[in-house]
Amino acid sequence: MLPLAIETHELVRTFRARGRGPVTALAGVTLEVPRGELFGLLGPNGAGKTTLIKILVTLLLPSAGTARVAGFDVATEAHEIRRRIAMVSGGETTGFGLLTVAEQLWMFAQFHGIPSREAKRRIADLVEIVGLGVQRSTRVSDLSTGMRQRLNLARGFLTEPEVLFLDEPTVGLDVGAARDLRRYVRRWTAEGPARTILLTTHYLKEAEELCDRVAIIDGGAILASDSPDRLRRSSVGTRYAVGTERVPAGPWRDQVPGLRWAEVGPEEGGTGAVVTAELGADGDIAALVAALAAAAGRILSVAPVERSLEDVFVEILDRSVDPAGNPAGSSTEVDVR
Amino acid sequence: MNVTLMLRAARGRALPRLTGQFRSPTWVLYETLLPLLGTTAFVFVYRALGAPDRFVSYVIMGGAAVAFWMNVLWMMAAQFYWEKRTGNLDVFMVSPCGLTPILLGMSAGGIVATLLRAAAVVAIGTLVFHASFDLSRLPAVVGVFTLSLVALYGLGATLASLFLYWGRESWHVASLFVEPVVLASGVYFPVHALGFGVGLAASVVPLTLALDALRQLLIGPAHPALLSLPVEVTGLAGLAVAYVALARFALTRMERLARREGRLSRRY
């Protein structure tokens, strides 16, 4: 059986910062990513995402704990890992502007020892896949930001890595370019069942659309990890939207024991009202409907409200902040990029 | 180390250096014709003083040597600083080839590019100022020149490792190395004129022994040599081995240090 694509155990990384003492960027991260998974790492700036990626791609050594990529230890088997991975960061300006698109990709292929003929074959395919076929003889310095990022992504695919690390790959891209990029990522993973991607992003819709599983990280600690769908469903409370004949009156909230919060708004295109409420459990819906029927006339509709990953993300981060306003897992946050 | 991977990676890194010669031909003006003006000044000074004709040859050789020294300082020693800023260094480091063939490719590309510049300086100097060279021992000249390049670019690779660790200060250190080396290595005059002790101390920079040995071969017995040719060639060989070994050691150590301290991961 193939080893896990990524495996970390109690991973810690601290930095020395001038005048501030040691800064903890990762505070005991334990993570398992099986082969073939598109795994998302979500977190605010300074949460530790980039530090984790830099350790996994062998640019940084852990201060404590262990990390393995494709079965190899990041501290002692970096060379084996480097043969099996690629890393692409958002907004990166790697390479040389005076080279053409095809030359640049050929150069990077040489760093992985790919024979020239094979490299040229892959480049011919890849430039078409990422939509740079017309620009293959264009100098890199003449590419737009979006085209440049397509080129970076092509570099990531070029070596056919077992594990691809994408660090905010769509940052700074317009809507169309970001959508294209997501399409290439999906296509690449679909073509190889063992291909694994670890993606960091600030765009939660992107994570929701692409990732099989996500982890939410803050203060250098993993706060939650599951599929976007399960995270949405397992999150505290259940939301419903109840359409009523009129705006509810009286102390109806007191009659719903599991009610966490509720807001009342006008019915769209009508004279009634819509009550959006978060309940502790699905079973509390009966009490809500009964209370609203008494306070707002006829019940016109009852529908569950789908929670977005963004809602869950904000809730989890809010829960993780202690009363003094410090994030969980660490007393200090740092952006090590 | 996989030799095929190493050679392919070096070939890849040499590509932008070589391509630049044809895509940015402005180097003819900025890196050949303009520096030649400074070299020309020395020719006129020597002529005004009534110095022997061989001094014109010294100056022209010096002009070509400066092209190599500048290439070693700015395009080798300080290059990783720029690679770090553009993000290339991260990509180089996570490639299976490592940094050694990257430096090898930078050297190979730099040598070819600088050879063009140096050849242009020598050609223009010879045509305009009638500098003359004794080409009777051409194979020996080629041999010493090759050895000199290995030693010189070995020093460049060593400095690249150190400069990478120093970061932004490397820029100032490179600037500090320009003029003192031009003086102490006797770029525009025989280094013997500085005295044996100074000449010997300056020999830590391969440029000193390289120029003196080549002048013995190309100018002949009239050149006041610092040391005998066999001793200078042996010294150059020793420097070549020492600097290449030191560069490998420094690169490995620097990479380990950088991974531990995280210095390479920060672009500031």
Side-chain angles (χ1 to χ4, degrees):
Chain A
M1 198 177 97
L2 283 171
L4 291 166
I6 297 166
E7 189 180 2
T8 70
H9 182 70
E10 292 297 324
L11 198 62
V12 174
R13 175 70 212 200
T14 54
F15 290 96
R16 277 182 298 174
R18 282 180 196 153
R20 285 197 295 160
V23 171
T24 304
L26 291 180
V29 169
T30 298
L31 201 64
E32 286 190 353
V33 180
R35 302 248 176 186
E37 193 165 86
L38 210 161
F39 188 85
L41 202 55
L42 313 177
N45 286 334
K49 304 184 297 289
T50 301
T51 302
L52 179 56
I53 283 201
K54 283 188 186 282
I55 289 176
L56 295 174
V57 301
T58 75
L59 278 174
L60 271 179
L61 284 172
S63 305
T66 58
R68 301 181 82 81
V69 175
F72 297 98
D73 188 282
V74 294
T76 57
E77 297 169 299
H79 183 71
E80 291 297 332
I81 292 173
R82 290 170 185 176
R83 289 172 54 203
R84 294 166 169 84
I85 62 164
M87 176 184 67
V88 175
S89 302
E92 68 175 47
T93 53
T94 50
F96 299 91
L98 58 82
L99 296 181
T100 66
V101 165
E103 286 168 345
Q104 175 116 304
L105 289 171
W106 179 85
M107 179 188 73
F108 284 121
Q110 298 312 292
F111 297 161
H112 285 254
I114 300 170
S116 196
R117 185 178 293 180
E118 169 65 11
K120 285 175 181 167
R121 186 193 64 74
R122 289 189 197 178
I123 291 164
D125 290 346
L126 270 176
V127 291
E128 295 299 334
I129 289 170
V130 301
L132 286 176
V134 177
Q135 288 83 16
R136 61 170 296 154
S137 300
T138 303
R139 282 196 202 186
V140 173
S141 56
D142 294 336
L143 297 180
S144 67
T145 307
M147 287 179 182
R148 184 95 197 213
Q149 193 57 0
R150 289 176 197 213
L151 174 62
N152 292 334
L153 200 66
R155 174 177 61 72
F157 295 154
L158 180 66
T159 55
E160 296 182 354
E162 292 176 30
V163 186
L164 176 61
F165 294 88
L166 298 177
D167 192 9
E168 297 174 23
T170 54
V171 72
L173 296 187
D174 62 40
V175 175
R179 190 188 55 200
D180 286 347
L181 203 127
R182 287 195 292 272
R183 197 171 63 223
Y184 309 141
V185 167
R186 269 197 304 269
R187 177 174 167 175
W188 186 76
T189 44
E191 283 173 355
R195 288 174 174 174
T196 309
I197 291 182
L198 190 144
L199 166 85
T200 75
T201 180
H202 283 296
Y203 306 126
L204 300 177
K205 286 262 181 208
E206 185 171 279
E208 208 163 0
E209 183 185 331
L210 286 176
C211 298
D212 303 310
R213 279 195 312 142
V214 296
I216 296 173
I217 183 171
D218 193 26
I222 302 282
L223 305 178
S225 178
D226 213 326
S227 70
D229 198 40
R230 276 206 203 125
L231 272 180
R232 276 198 307 266
R233 279 191 278 123
S234 65
S235 183
V236 285
T238 309
R239 285 185 195 174
Y240 284 92
V242 181
T244 56
E245 192 177 9
R246 57 178 188 271
V247 174
W252 63 272
R253 284 181 168 87
D254 299 340
Q255 293 159 28
V256 188
L259 184 69
R260 291 178 186 278
W261 60 263
E263 60 184 24
V264 181
E267 181 193 11
E268 203 173 312
T271 55
V274 176
V275 178
T276 306
E278 186 171 298
L279 305 170
D282 278 338
D284 296 328
I285 185 66
L288 175 67
V289 170
L292 287 175
R298 279 194 307 134
I299 301 295
L300 303 177
S301 62
V302 178
V305 176
E306 182 94 340
R307 296 154 74 82
S308 68
L309 190 59
E310 189 173 310
D311 295 328
V312 177
F313 178 78
V314 171
E315 276 170 16
I316 289 173
L317 288 186
D318 283 349
R319 279 210 311 267
S320 76
V321 174
D322 66 29
N326 297 317
S330 168
S331 58
T332 322
E333 61 178 85
V334 60
D335 188 347
V336 295
R337 276 210 303 169
Chain B
M1 165 61 81
N2 179 331
V3 177
T4 309
L5 170 63
M6 191 163 170
L7 291 176
R8 282 182 181 147
R11 181 175 65 169
R13 183 58 188 87
L15 178 72
R17 294 252 154 127
L18 300 175
T19 308
Q21 302 310 301
F22 306 103
R23 300 218 175 124
S24 301
T26 49
W27 66 265
V28 176
L29 176 67
Y30 293 114
E31 295 181 41
T32 304
L33 294 180
L34 292 180
L36 200 60
L37 294 178
T39 305
T40 303
F42 285 95
V43 173
F44 285 114
V45 168
Y46 283 136
R47 283 195 173 159
L49 291 171
D53 284 347
R54 64 185 162 88
F55 277 78
V56 174
S57 305
Y58 286 148
V59 170
I60 298 303
M61 286 180 74
V66 164
F68 282 103
W69 181 237
M70 298 300 256
N71 185 257
V72 163
L73 273 186
W74 297 112
M75 304 295 276
M76 284 290 292
Q79 181 69 23
F80 273 166
Y81 171 70
W82 292 113
E83 307 281 25
K84 182 177 170 180
R85 288 182 67 91
T86 58
N88 279 344
L89 195 63
D90 281 1
V91 177
F92 295 159
M93 286 189 70
V94 300
S95 299
C97 64
L99 291 177
T100 304
I102 299 293
L103 277 173
L104 194 65
M106 272 162 52
S107 305
I111 286 170
V112 173
T114 311
L115 261 178
L116 291 175
R117 289 160 171 72
V121 168
V122 171
I124 294 170
T126 305
L127 285 172
V128 176
F129 300 111
H130 310 293
S132 61
F133 300 103
D134 175 8
L135 298 177
S136 60
R137 289 188 283 177
L138 197 56
V141 169
V142 173
V144 170
F145 181 66
T146 307
L147 194 59
S148 305
L149 288 181
V150 175
L152 203 54
Y153 281 83
L155 172 63
T158 305
L159 290 176
S161 315
L162 301 177
F163 280 23
L164 182 56
Y165 194 71
W166 285 334
R168 202 162 18 205
E169 291 105 46
S170 65
W171 197 249
H172 306 299
V173 177
S175 296
L176 283 174
F177 275 152
V178 176
E179 297 302 337
V181 168
V182 167
L183 172 68
S185 295
V187 166
Y188 293 114
F189 55 89
V191 71
H192 185 267
L194 293 173
F196 182 75
V198 174
L200 202 63
S203 297
V204 72
V205 177
L207 201 64
T208 310
L209 291 181
L211 264 175
D212 207 57
L214 287 169
R215 282 168 175 166
Q216 289 193 56
L217 289 165
L218 289 167
I219 291 170
H223 170 67
L226 181 69
L227 297 160
S228 70
L229 186 63
V231 172
E232 289 190 342
V233 171
T234 307
L236 269 177
L239 287 175
V241 171
Y243 281 133
V244 169
L246 196 60
R248 283 220 65 172
F249 171 77
L251 262 185
T252 309
R253 178 153 178 72
M254 182 276 302
E255 188 185 335
R256 199 165 49 232
L257 210 60
R259 287 184 70 203
R260 199 175 64 216
E261 296 189 3
R263 294 181 73 135
L264 290 190
S265 305
R266 301 181 207 185
R267 290 183 195 167
Y268 50 84

